[in-house]
Amino acid sequence: MSTQTSDKPARNTTAWWREADRKHHLSPFTDYKQLKESEAGARIVTRAEGVWLTDSEGVRILDGMAGLWCVNVGYGRKELAEAAYKQMLELPYYNTFFKTATPPPVELAEKLAEITPAGLDMVFYGSSGSESNDTVARLARFYWKLKGKPEKAHFISRTYAYHGSTMAAASLGGMTPMQEGYGLPLPGFHHVDPPYWFDFGGELDREEFGRQAAKQVEDKILEIGPDKVAAFIGEPIQGAGGVIIPPDSYWPEIQRICRQYDVLLVADEVICGFGRTGYMFASEHFGIEPDMMTMAKGITSGYIPLSGVMVSGEIGRTLVEAGGEFFHGYTYSGHPTACAVALANIDIIEREELVRKVREETGPHLAKRLAELAEHPIVGEVRSLGLIGALEIVQKKRPRTRFPGNGKAGTICRDHCFAHNVVLRAVRDGMVMAPPLTISTEEIDELVSRLRTCLDLTAKDLGAG
């Protein structure tokens, strides 16, 4: 009897995982045809510790993006695994519908009211930033309905904004590829230019440009009608849009405009929150006093899904005093295990003084090292705040001129970074970074050194230098 040998790869090997990934796994934001036809396939990450990933081939990779802007306290924190384990043994799950609560979401709500910007007193839970921004759209319309102004149902956001991937969240966002061909944005969602001085500021002074960018919001409110606008939403720093750090003049003017026209101001802190900017929330740095604030990612450092919408005392009082059921919620709103992990995560951030360290030590060190790259022949600008930063790749520094093919230069540099085992992200022709808040100054040096090498290689590929 003859035996046949199979050429199928052995199970739980790199080859097997890659083949199974191609056949059965639909990854987010992926060109599936391109992935299937690629020779290498997906890189399989199997372990992580601190700021380092390890793939299935044993290669160590410096994670300059903290996963997806989220692993704030770094990988391998046993305290978070133990918090989940303990809670799962006691009460793994129960819902918060039907006049029911469990201890962890209640305890976390009290803690969030303590650490978030003044005036934010109550929280509505979800599992992702997308869900929380979807909740914002529903909750803002519900609030204005309770106030006797149901016609206030329109939202204003910015181009390059990222607020998530649900139909409502993608409508709030300003990412054109996420909207074209999907019937988005939905009716009632409007966009203005972002405060992106490098691309849109021309020869204007940065502060004057900031005021002009804010005026676009006022002009849009007047165009729609103040009696029809429910809210303006913005990330204090637009992360996925390219780490757009606004001029200092921008947010005070946005605050004034929203107050003048009775428009709710929503701060999306999904990326910026929980220490990323050297403040617990970036709203503190920019002096934003939001009526609602969304958060996710760093709330559990990405160890388990959780998100929330903080609301002001005024909104909370209206919900309580006016009455009427808010027909909205998720199976996992206030998931006890996720909330237990969040409490342990916040404890680490506070106990290890990560916010202070980012503001006084690692953030300034990253800024100093990035500033050295400003002299590179294809770098047009560097910018950072805390442990979130970016640099712009240009063909010519003055006047600011991009390389032909929007995004081509950024993609080349990103691919070199992957090949040199440092995870950075390309946004158009910019390179962005947001490493774990636990990164050391020596690891920052290593990140910048690898990035410099990749910029050299990119310049060579582009015939520049």
Side-chain angles (χ1 to χ4, degrees):
M1 183 176 180
S2 63
T3 59
Q4 293 181 342
T5 57
S6 173
D7 57 358
K8 190 173 183 178
R11 191 175 181 85
N12 295 339
T13 61
T14 300
W16 184 88
W17 281 317
R18 284 176 174 165
E19 182 178 320
D21 182 66
R22 283 192 180 102
K23 287 183 176 179
H24 307 297
H25 182 208
L26 293 175
S27 303
F29 288 88
T30 297
D31 182 329
Y32 303 113
K33 182 175 186 291
Q34 183 184 69
L35 179 61
K36 185 174 181 179
E37 293 175 351
S38 68
E39 184 177 342
R43 190 173 208 171
I44 308 297
V45 175
T46 57
R47 299 189 306 279
E49 184 73 24
V51 302
W52 295 89
L53 309 170
T54 303
D55 71 12
S56 55
E57 302 293 293
V59 177
R60 295 179 79 231
I61 308 151
L62 178 55
D63 185 3
M65 286 304 303
L68 276 178
W69 321 81
C70 56
V71 188
N72 288 17
V73 301
Y75 297 97
R77 303 305 295 250
K78 292 182 180 178
E79 306 100 306
L80 302 190
E82 289 167 353
Y85 176 72
K86 180 181 176 182
Q87 183 60 46
M88 284 185 173
L89 288 178
E90 188 171 300
L91 178 67
Y93 167 76
Y94 195 70
N95 68 77
T96 55
F97 288 45
F98 317 124
K99 299 182 181 179
T100 303
T102 66
V106 174
E107 294 167 14
L108 178 60
E110 182 183 56
K111 184 64 179 180
L112 292 172
E114 173 193 324
I115 67 174
T116 54
L120 298 175
D121 300 327
M122 304 178 80
V123 62
F124 187 101
Y125 293 114
S127 296
S128 68
S130 299
E131 287 184 0
S132 282
N133 284 317
D134 200 286
T135 296
V136 160
R138 297 278 293 279
L139 186 54
R141 286 176 173 173
F142 184 61
Y143 167 76
W144 286 119
K145 178 182 176 182
L146 294 179
K147 297 290 285 186
K149 300 179 180 180
E151 68 280 1
K152 285 178 76 70
H154 290 250
F155 297 87
I156 299 173
S157 178
R158 287 94 55 92
T159 306
Y160 298 152
Y162 183 81
H163 297 296
S165 289
T166 65
M167 296 289 276
S171 295
L172 284 171
M175 300 289 191
T176 303
M178 294 179 64
Q179 297 172 343
E180 291 179 341
Y182 301 97
L184 301 177
L186 298 170
F189 294 85
H190 311 268
H191 301 84
V192 298
D193 288 341
Y196 189 9
W197 177 83
F198 189 81
D199 260 14
F200 302 142
E203 298 306 313
L204 278 177
D205 169 83
R206 289 176 188 261
E207 300 312 305
E208 176 57 28
F209 171 72
R211 287 186 287 272
Q212 288 194 16
K215 188 176 184 302
Q216 288 198 31
V217 176
E218 183 172 30
D219 292 343
K220 184 61 70 173
I221 291 172
L222 293 173
E223 175 190 325
I224 300 165
D227 59 333
K228 292 183 174 61
V229 179
F232 169 80
I233 184 170
E235 305 148 271
I237 295 172
Q238 289 178 246
V243 182
I244 300 171
I245 303 175
D248 291 340
S249 59
Y250 180 76
W251 277 112
E253 190 64 4
I254 291 292
Q255 181 103 0
R256 180 195 67 77
I257 291 165
C258 289
R259 296 292 178 257
Q260 178 177 341
Y261 295 105
D262 199 20
V263 169
L264 296 176
L265 176 53
V266 183
D268 181 340
E269 292 261 12
V270 169
I271 284 175
C272 297
F274 298 95
R276 172 62 55 197
T277 63
Y279 295 81
M280 186 62 83
F281 296 94
S283 292
E284 299 169 68
H285 171 76
F286 291 107
I288 305 168
E289 299 173 2
D291 298 295
M292 289 193 273
M293 187 181 82
T294 53
M295 53 193 160
K297 295 187 184 290
I299 193 171
T300 63
S301 287
Y303 277 57
I304 195 167
L306 182 68
S307 67
V309 181
M310 296 298 299
V311 303
S312 67
E314 155 61 20
I315 293 175
R317 283 190 299 274
T318 299
L319 297 176
V320 172
E321 294 171 5
E325 184 169 349
F326 182 39
F327 290 99
H328 177 71
Y330 309 104
T331 299
Y332 301 120
S333 291
H335 193 292
T337 300
C339 291
V341 171
L343 283 163
N345 178 67
I346 294 169
D347 181 65
I348 291 172
I349 292 172
E350 292 183 329
R351 188 175 70 249
E352 298 184 3
E353 297 186 308
L354 292 181
V355 178
R356 181 195 63 77
K357 288 179 181 178
V358 170
R359 184 172 63 251
E360 298 177 5
E361 299 172 19
T362 50
H365 188 73
L366 176 64
K368 177 184 175 183
R369 294 306 315 275
L370 284 179
E372 298 168 9
L373 297 179
E375 300 305 316
H376 195 281
I378 65 168
V379 173
E381 181 183 68
V382 298
R383 54 183 180 268
S384 67
L385 179 62
L387 286 179
I388 184 169
L391 60 81
E392 302 283 358
I393 298 175
V394 296
Q395 185 177 43
K396 186 177 180 183
K397 293 176 184 268
R398 290 188 180 278
R400 300 187 293 274
T401 307
R402 300 284 191 182
F403 283 97
N406 183 30
K408 177 183 176 182
T411 300
I412 291 171
C413 189
R414 180 205 65 190
D415 290 347
H416 281 303
C417 288
F418 284 3
H420 285 76
N421 299 313
V422 58
V423 178
L424 297 176
R425 186 167 172 176
V427 179
R428 298 178 300 279
D429 281 328
M431 297 301 298
V432 304
M433 63 206 71
L437 308 188
T438 53
I439 193 170
S440 67
T441 54
E442 293 80 13
E443 288 165 333
I444 289 171
D445 292 341
E446 183 65 24
L447 185 156
V448 175
S449 174
R450 295 188 188 194
L451 176 54
R452 180 184 289 277
T453 297
C454 296
L455 287 168
D456 291 342
L457 294 170
T458 301
K460 183 179 178 181
D461 289 346
L462 293 169

